[in-house]
Amino acid sequence: MLIIIALVLALIPTIAILWPFVVGVRRDEFAEDESAPIADLMRRWDAAVAGLKSSELDHAIGNLTDQDYRTIRRQLMTEAAVVLKTMELEEAEEEQMLTAVRTEMQAVRARVLGETISES
Amino acid sequence: MIVESGQLALVLALLATGYAVVASVMGVARRSPELVMSGRYGFYSTVILLLVATAALVHAFVTNDFSVRYVAENSSLAMPKAYTWVALYAGNAGSMLFLAIIFSAFALVAVGTIRKRLPYTAPYATAIMAMVLLFLLAVMVFLANPLSRLDVVPLDGQGINPLLVHFGMFIHPPVQMTGLIVVAIPFSIAMGALLAGKGGNDEWVDLGRTWGMIAWLILTLGLLLGSWWAYTILGWGGYWAWDPVENSALMPWLAMTAFVHSIMVQKRRGMFRMWNMVIIIIGFTLAQLGMFINRGGPVPSVHSFAQSAMGWIFLGFMAFTLVASIAVFVSKVDTLKSRGRLESMLSRESAFLAQNIAFLAVAFVTLWGTVFPIFSETASDVTITVGQPFFNLVNGPLLLFIVFLMGIGPLLPWRRATIGGLIRALRIPLAAAGVVGLIFMIVGPRQPVATVAFMTCAMVLAGIGHEWVRGTQSRHRKGENYAKAFMMLLSANRPRYGGYVVHISIIMLAAGAIGSSFYSVQRDLVMSPGDTETIGEYTFTYTGTTHQSHPDREEDYAQFEVYSGDTYLGEMEPFRAVYPDFRIASTRGAIHSTPLEDFYIVPSDFSDGGQAVFRVLINPMVWWMWASGPIMILGTLLALAPRREPSPATLRVPAGMRPAGV
C-alpha cells in the first residue's frame, strides 16, 4: 500500500514537471517583454495621467497654487504628448518593418517558387 | 503509513523545489519556454505535496500518535482537540512546515500573477521564491522533521506550553509568521527584476507595491493581534513591552511601511529606484532576523517558546541572502538611475523621503536595542538588556515625528509646493491642534509630551477631514450631491484615500498608545473576600474565589462586583492557572472595555483563606487600538483596488499643449 501511495505522490511533481515537454507550450513565455518600449510608454502614460489627476485634485482642494498647477500641468501634458508621439512613431516603425518583411517574403517566394503573388 | 507518506511528500517537495530553482534559471537563460514552464509547474506541485505532509501531521495529532516526536512533544491526551491547530505550529519543526505550506500557497498566487505581466522577471522571481522554500524544506528534511518517529513510543505526550493555550494563539502566531514570510514575495519580484535586467524602467513596481502592501497588512495584523493577546495576559507587560520578539516583528513592519510609501514615488515619478531596492533588501533581511530570533535566537525573550540551535541556521541563510542581494544590487546599480528628479524640498516626494529615513531610524534604534545584549556579552561577559525606557526615550520622538509627517505629507502636492500654499492648507489642521492643546491645558491632566502628541494626532485627523471636505465640495460644485460627491471622490482616487483611511487607523492606534502610556492608573491591592476598593470612578468588591482542578492545571477564579459611579457594570472574573508539570503560572485579566477607558483586574497571587493580590488598572483609550484593525484592512483594500487609467487612445491632447513637432 505504501508503495502505491509513494508512486502516486511521486507522480504529482513528475507529471507537473514533464507536462510542458510532453504536451508543449501553447503560448511563448517570452512573446511579450515587460521592458518593451511600448510597455515603458504605457507606464509613463499611466504616471502622467495619474499625475494630472492628482494635480487637478490638489488644485481643486487648494493644496496647489494656480501658478504651480499651471507649471505642473504643462509638464505632465508635455510628457503625455511625448508618449503619444513616441507611440505613433513606434506604430509607424512597426508598419515599416512589416512592409519590409512582406517584400522580403515576396522576393523569397519569387526566387524559390517562381511565384509572383501580391500581398493585398 | 500516513506519517511515512507525509515524510515522502516532504522529500518530494524538496526535490521539486530544487528542480524549480534550476529549471527557472536555465529556462530563462536558454530562452526555453518549456523549461521555464516546467520549473514553474514543479514549484506549483509543492503546494499539493506540502498539503499531504500537513495532513499527515494533523492526522497524527488527532489520533494521538505519540510515535511521532513532534506530536509527543507538543500534545497530550488531555489537550483539547481544538488545539491541534495551535500545536501544529507551537514548536520549531511544525512552525517550519506551517511557514512552508503558507509560503508555497502565497507564492503560487504570486507567480501566477507575475508570469503574465513580467514574463522575463517571472522565472528569476520564481527561482528566488523557490530558494526560500528550498531552505525551509531542507531544514525540515535534514534537521527538524516534524514527521520523524521516536524509537520508544511514550504513553502520553508532554503537552502544549500552557502559555499557548489561549484563543489568541489561534490567530496571532500564524498571521505573524505569514507576514514575515510573505515579505519574501516583493523581495523576489524586486530581485528577479534586477537579475533579469528589467529593474531600470519600473517594470516591477506595480506588482512589487501590491505584494508589499499585502505583506505590510499581514504584518500589521500580526502585530495588532499579538498586542491584543499580550494585553489579556498582563504579566507580559501590557500590549507592548519592547521585547526582542516583539521588536523582531516590528522591524520588518517599519521597513515595509517605508517601502509601500517610497514605491509610490517610483511609480509616479520614476525616482527612488535604488532606494526602493535597498529598502526591500532591508525589509527581507529584518523579516529573516525576526524568524531567527523567534527560533531560539541568542536574545532572551518571554516569547522564545522553542529553544533550539535552528535560529543560527536561519541567521546563516539571512547572511547568504543579504550578501547575494547586495552583490546583485551592486552589479546592476547602473540600471537604476532615476527618471525624474527632486524638484523641490517642499513636495510629497521629499516628505516620503523624510518619512522613510525616520522609519529606518526607528528600525535601526530597535535593532540596536534588541541585539545590544549580544554585543555586551561578547565585549564584557555581562549581558546588558536594553529596556523600555531606552526605546521610549529614543523611538518615542521619532515616532511622533513620523505622525507629524503623516499630517504634512498628504497636504503637499507631488513635484512642488509653496510655503504660502502649505501654510494655507495647514490652517485648519493647526487650528484643530491648537483647540486640542487648549482643551488639555484647561481640563486635562498636565502631561506636556502627551498633549503635544495628541495635538499632532488632531492635526493629522483635521488635515484628512479637511481634505475630504474640500474634495467633496469641489465635486459638489460640479453638480453631484454631497453623498455621491464623497463616494466618487474616494472611488476615483483609491490609492490616495485608501492611504488616508489607513492613516486614520494609525492615529487611532497612536491615540490608544499615548492615552494608555501617559494616563494609565495602576494599583496593587491585597484583598480579602468582602473587601471593597475604589479607583477613579470604579468601585469594586471582591466577593470570593472559586477553585477548579483539572488533570493538567489548578485554576483559581476571583469574583468581583464592579460599579462605575452608581452604575452596576456587572461581575468580573479574572483567573490564575498553575500547571505543575510545566511549573508555569498563567493569568487572564478581566477587562471592562469602553472607548474611553479599560477597567482591568488581574490576579497576582492567591493565598489560603481567600486573600489574594490583584493588580488593578485603568487604561485610557486602549479600545481604539483594537478598533483600528478593521479600519486598517478597509483602507489597505481600498488602496489596493485596481483601477486602470484610460489608455492613450481615449485622451486627446490639446493642440496648444503639444510640444514642438508633435
Side-chain angles (χ1 to χ4, degrees), chain B residues 30-107:
Chain B
R30 294 182 180 181
R31 293 286 185 271
S32 164
E34 289 86 1
L35 207 47
V36 166
M37 192 184 272
S38 170
R40 190 168 66 236
Y41 283 8
F43 191 45
Y44 289 166
S45 72
T46 58
V47 181
I48 302 169
L49 294 167
L50 285 168
L51 273 174
V52 171
T54 308
L57 186 57
V58 170
H59 181 265
F61 270 116
V62 172
T63 56
N64 291 319
D65 184 354
F66 298 124
S67 71
V68 177
R69 180 190 297 273
Y70 186 75
V71 175
E73 288 175 351
N74 292 281
S75 74
S76 64
L77 294 170
M79 186 183 85
K81 283 287 173 273
Y83 280 91
T84 298
W85 167 250
V86 173
L88 188 67
Y89 47 74
N92 264 329
S95 68
M96 296 289 288
L97 181 58
F98 180 82
L99 280 173
I101 180 78
I102 286 290
F103 182 63
S104 64
F106 270 91

Side-chain angles (χ1 to χ4, degrees), chain B residues 388-403:
Chain B
Q388 268 188 320
F390 165 79
F391 291 107
N392 289 339
L393 185 70
V394 184
N395 279 346
L398 283 169
L399 290 169
L400 187 60
F401 176 63
I402 289 171
V403 175

